[in-house]
Amino acid sequence: MEYNVKKGDFSNIGATKGKTWTEFCLVCRKEADCKILLYKRDGKDKPEEIAVPAEFSKGNLRAVRIDKLDLSEYDYNFCIDGEIVCDPYAKRITGREIWADLNRKESALTDLRCRLGAEPFSWRGDCEVEIPRKDMVLYKLHVRGFTKGMPEGTPDRGTFRGLEKKLPYLKSLGITSIELMPVYEFEELMPVNPAGRPEEFRSRKKTKAVMRGMQKTQYKLNYWGYGKGMYFAPKASYAAGDDPETELKSCILGMHKRGMECILEMDFPDTVSGEMIRLVLRYWVKEYHVDGFHLQGNGIPMGLLLEDPFLGRTKLFYREIYEHEIPIEEALYPRAFVDKDEFLYPCRKLAGGLDGNIWELADQMKKQDIRLGYINYIADNNGYTLADLFTYERKHNEANGEHNTDGPEWSFSINCGTEGESNSRNIQKIRCRRMRNAVAMLFLSQGTPMLMAGDEDCNTQKGNNNTYCQDNPVGWKDWSRSRAAKEFTKYVKQMIAFRKAHAILRMEQPMKLADAKGHGYPDLSYHEESAWISPRYRNRKAIGIMYCGKYAGEEEDIYIGFNFSDFPKKLALPCQKGKRAWYLAMDTTARYAFLPEQEELKETWYLLDAQSVCIIIGKQKAGKI
């Protein structure tokens, strides 16, 4: 077919469809031979080729407008100097609609085609969520793995639609912000070379069958999705139907209607330019109404992103952000967050009884900045689940096919006496208490807490601390554990609710450790066997942390007791003024941790059992004025 071609618009990179024309703008040097390849949908004919003349260039862009081309009837690719390439700005990629389809021909693993995106989506009922930093409770999940572990026959397992159906569950936990591991189009089949040579190959007698077997490519799953991807296109195999864009947008709209925000994890290798990163983030904010990004990679241009006015209300998580990079105006709506594992290690060492430093924990718990937030977590997709931290002392990654050499060698984990699952009630009790302690550390700290999917109901990966290739029950959230773990899930909900009910636990301003406003107590103070006396000895394992509620406009003071030693410890309680008293609200040694009714303490100290955490409330005595 003959087409009328003319120079196109260089302002919109990718494919753009008009009423009677289609435009293509692509990155291509002027000296290169450039063609558009048009594939008739469901057709078997060779693609039509349309040459893009060199004079249709501007810098390293080439743009062409093709009259009377209805791109809704075609898929497309580019051919540059004889190499067929996908449009990196394509809004949909075809060829990977079936997840990890090993039936695809090897030649088809990279035989992808580009397609225009879906019709405009109705965002009716959407709103700007903009959850303040101090109110955020994060929940990180893998879209496929989050619902794939539901019973066989459950509709829409492992899809955007399946996730949308579970939003009421996440809301009931108290989650405000949902972080999704990569949802853009990536290659889930990674070609690998076999480790070593089979015995048949070492033999001098090499049959043709053996040789053919050796030449066949083997594949491993990129289950998590990290690595370079097609950043403008949602993952087609995460869709329950044939429209991934609409399904993902509907899911995000569902989050917003429930007052929750969507954070996308994006992995950018060094080959992706800073300008491309900026365009990708702008696109997802504009088209998908995304609320923030967790950025992975070494070359992230944080200065450029923080200065972009279009992204001015978008939250950005990254492992390396410094206060001097952030304008002081950002304190009005803090949206930059440091996301790395510095909170994880002191918590794990103390919770596991592995010679941790109580002052290292105390410093992490009070960490806050007016312009810069901190993401706190004890378990992430990298490493053990929360339950496995106290169930496995050694990693068990044999199923990954790397002879158990991958994954962290040392994760500060313990097995509490038995490696793996145990029917011993005593071991189960010990593990439950240590998990409770870890959750308390997380949600009673000033930074933004992040819960990994499944940790609220004791999800296990059977000791695998690197499930990057485990698209199976090992890597999925196990919903069958929910009933057995209902008491622990209830405890997590209560801890989240307690955090939300006490603003002093989530202040925007850093603590001064002084009575700066004349309330009679410092905003934050430390206590041990004696009130107000807390020498910073490294070998200490017990401490009392007191927050003065008046610094958050509250009447209740919060006292958190930690004892990670092997013996009970008396922690002194500062004297409450007037007709006020201390009331025990939670002790991880109690049967249900949170007491049905708070108990008034008559002594000036509290005897805290070994390896336990307590919450004590200072407030007006009942019936007293």
Side-chain angles (χ1 to χ4, degrees):
M1 180 181 294
E2 293 292 330
Y3 293 100
N4 179 26
V5 299
K6 62 183 70 172
K7 183 180 288 189
D9 183 0
F10 295 95
S11 62
N12 294 315
I13 304 180
T16 305
K17 181 177 180 295
K19 290 184 178 180
T20 60
W21 49 263
T22 299
E23 280 193 343
F24 297 93
C25 182
L26 65 151
V27 177
C28 177
R29 299 193 68 87
K30 192 172 184 178
E31 295 79 7
D33 178 68
C34 179
K35 296 184 180 70
I36 309 292
L37 303 181
L38 297 176
Y39 305 86
K40 194 75 172 180
R41 294 185 187 175
D42 301 325
K44 298 182 180 179
D45 297 335
K46 290 184 178 181
E48 299 178 39
E49 297 184 0
I50 301 176
V52 184
E55 56 265 29
F56 291 0
S57 298
K58 175 75 71 173
N60 287 331
L61 293 177
R62 203 173 296 195
V64 60
R65 173 176 290 197
I66 306 173
D67 289 332
K68 298 181 180 180
L69 171 61
D70 183 2
L71 203 58
S72 63
E73 300 177 3
Y74 292 89
D75 294 333
Y76 72 96
N77 275 330
F78 301 139
C79 182
I80 300 176
D81 284 338
E83 180 183 359
I84 299 176
V85 296
C86 283
D87 178 5
Y89 297 87
K91 307 307 185 290
R92 185 185 293 189
I93 300 296
T94 66
R96 294 195 189 120
E97 288 77 10
I98 300 176
W99 168 266
D101 183 11
L102 291 172
N103 293 320
R104 288 184 287 178
K105 295 180 180 179
E106 290 187 23
S107 61
L109 289 176
T110 56
D111 187 15
L112 306 178
R113 296 174 183 177
C114 305
R115 182 174 293 182
L116 283 179
E119 293 299 316
F121 178 79
S122 172
W123 287 97
R124 185 175 180 179
D126 193 28
C127 58
E128 300 268 345
V129 180
E130 291 192 358
I131 296 170
R133 181 182 69 182
K134 62 184 179 62
D135 297 334
M136 290 171 60
V137 177
L138 272 163
Y139 189 95
K140 184 175 180 179
L141 62 86
H142 185 284
V143 167
R144 179 175 171 83
F146 185 61
T147 57
K148 191 64 177 174
M150 299 188 73
E152 290 284 346
T154 303
D156 305 324
R157 293 188 312 147
T159 66
F160 297 127
R161 196 180 293 165
L163 169 59
E164 184 175 359
K165 291 178 180 179
K166 282 296 181 181
L167 294 181
Y169 165 78
L170 296 176
K171 184 68 176 180
S172 72
L173 285 179
I175 303 303
T176 69
S177 310
I178 302 172
E179 179 176 332
L180 306 182
M181 293 172 68
V183 296
Y184 48 82
E185 191 60 66
F186 59 86
E187 177 57 88
E188 65 272 20
L189 291 172
M190 304 181 295
V192 296
N193 294 320
R197 293 182 176 183
E199 287 296 324
E200 298 95 326
F201 194 77
R202 295 176 184 169
S203 171
R204 291 182 179 180
K205 296 180 180 180
K206 308 181 188 67
T207 65
K208 291 183 178 180
V210 169
M211 293 299 293
R212 284 196 299 269
M214 290 301 299
Q215 293 170 357
K216 186 177 180 179
T217 305
Q218 297 186 21
Y219 295 95
K220 181 176 285 190
L221 282 177
N222 176 19
Y223 170 60
W224 284 347
Y226 298 127
K228 190 172 182 178
M230 306 299 291
Y231 294 109
F232 293 85
K235 186 96 182 106
S237 59
Y238 285 178
D242 58 0
D243 190 349
E245 298 103 304
T246 298
E247 285 190 32
L248 178 53
K249 289 175 181 178
S250 176
C251 186
I252 295 173
L253 177 60
M255 295 180 197
H256 289 176
K257 286 183 175 181
R258 290 170 174 83
M260 297 186 289
E261 59 188 0
C262 179
I263 310 293
L264 296 188
E265 193 170 21
M266 292 273 184
D267 183 31
F268 295 107
D270 293 345
T271 54
V272 180
S273 70
E275 177 60 17
M276 179 68 159
I277 293 172
R278 188 178 69 89
L279 290 175
V280 168
L281 303 195
R282 275 176 158 250
Y283 174 76
W284 284 92
V285 171
K286 178 177 180 291
E287 294 296 328
Y288 287 82
H289 296 201
V290 167
D291 305 285
F293 301 94
H294 179 186
L295 303 170
Q296 302 273 11
N298 296 322
I300 306 298
M302 290 307 303
L304 176 69
L305 301 179
L306 288 167
E307 293 172 0
D308 190 313
F310 188 77
L311 301 175
R313 307 292 287 187
T314 302
K315 293 173 180 173
L316 300 174
F317 304 176
Y318 189 50
R319 64 175 180 263
E320 298 293 341
I321 307 179
Y322 302 100
E323 183 182 356
H324 68 268
E325 295 180 313
I326 306 172
I328 189 61
E329 293 82 6
E330 290 292 317
L332 299 173
Y333 180 68
R335 62 187 181 93
F337 296 81
V338 174
D339 192 314
K340 56 184 178 181
D341 54 11
E342 59 187 9
F343 181 84
L344 174 152
Y345 293 110
C347 292
R348 286 189 179 186
K349 286 187 285 186
L350 288 167
L354 299 173
D355 197 30
N357 183 344
I358 196 72
W359 285 107
E360 187 180 0
L361 171 65
D363 288 342
Q364 287 293 327
M365 289 189 66
K366 71 178 176 63
K367 189 172 56 180
Q368 194 60 288
D369 186 270
I370 60 172
R371 287 177 281 181
L372 185 61
Y374 296 90
I375 306 298
N376 293 338
Y377 54 89
I378 297 175
D380 193 11
N381 60 290
N382 286 301
Y384 288 123
T385 67
L386 179 63
D388 285 357
L389 277 175
F390 308 107
T391 308
Y392 297 91
E393 199 162 291
R394 305 182 306 276
K395 64 181 181 179
H396 297 268
N397 297 358
E398 292 83 2
N400 290 4
E402 299 175 44
H403 308 291
N404 208 30
T405 60
D406 64 311
E409 293 294 333
W410 182 242
S411 300
F412 301 103
S413 64
I414 61 171
N415 60 26
C416 299
T418 298
E419 186 75 0
E421 302 277 344
S422 173
N423 292 324
S424 166
R425 290 191 176 183
N426 186 50
I427 290 178
Q428 291 175 356
K429 183 178 178 181
I430 293 171
R431 289 172 176 172
C432 181
R433 185 190 297 189
R434 292 180 186 271
M435 289 171 61
R436 286 178 175 179
N437 293 345
V439 169
M441 285 186 272
L442 179 63
F443 288 103
L444 297 175
S445 296
Q446 292 292 318
T448 301
M450 188 197 80
L451 195 66
M452 189 64 202
D455 282 346
E456 73 278 8
D457 54 11
C458 310
N459 199 62
T460 179
Q461 294 173 175
K462 308 299 183 183
N464 192 314
N465 69 357
N466 188 28
T467 58
Y468 76 98
C469 59
Q470 295 299 322
D471 176 40
N472 51 48
V474 172
W476 301 339
K477 173 175 162 42
D478 184 0
W479 290 90
S480 67
R481 300 178 73 93
S482 297
R483 177 173 296 180
K486 64 179 181 180
E487 289 300 334
F488 186 75
T489 305
K490 180 181 177 181
Y491 169 74
V492 173
K493 288 182 180 180
Q494 289 174 314
M495 192 60 73
I496 294 174
F498 186 85
R499 175 185 179 84
K500 290 183 176 182
H502 296 88
I504 192 65
L505 298 175
R506 43 191 176 83
M507 298 289 283
E508 295 277 19
Q509 300 286 337
M511 294 292 182
K512 299 184 185 302
L513 280 73
D515 187 8
K517 295 183 178 180
H519 291 313
Y521 294 116
D523 52 3
L524 170 63
S525 54
Y526 299 112
H527 313 270
E528 293 189 20
E529 291 88 349
S530 300
W532 311 109
I533 300 175
S534 53
R536 295 179 69 94
Y537 298 139
R538 291 182 59 84
N539 61 349
R540 299 280 179 167
K541 293 293 186 292
I543 196 172
I545 300 176
M546 176 180 162
Y547 293 108
C548 178
K550 287 186 177 180
Y551 280 85
E554 300 175 328
E555 289 301 316
E556 294 185 347
D557 299 326
I558 307 296
Y559 184 100
I560 307 165
F562 294 104
N563 181 14
F564 297 109
S565 71
D566 295 327
F567 307 97
K569 292 281 188 179
K570 282 186 177 180
L571 291 177
L573 300 172
C575 180
Q576 284 280 293
K577 297 179 180 181
K579 297 180 179 180
R580 293 169 60 91
W582 288 109
Y583 291 80
L584 180 65
M586 190 279 293
D587 190 322
T588 56
T589 64
R591 182 177 179 182
Y592 299 115
F594 279 91
L595 278 63
E597 293 186 8
Q598 296 177 5
E599 297 178 359
E600 182 179 349
L601 301 178
K602 303 298 185 180
E603 305 292 345
T604 58
W605 45 265
Y606 181 70
L607 183 62
L608 185 59
D609 202 357
Q611 295 295 333
S612 59
V613 180
C614 70
I615 300 175
I616 302 173
I617 307 296
K619 62 180 181 179
Q620 193 80 16
K621 288 187 178 183
K624 302 292 183 180
I625 300 177

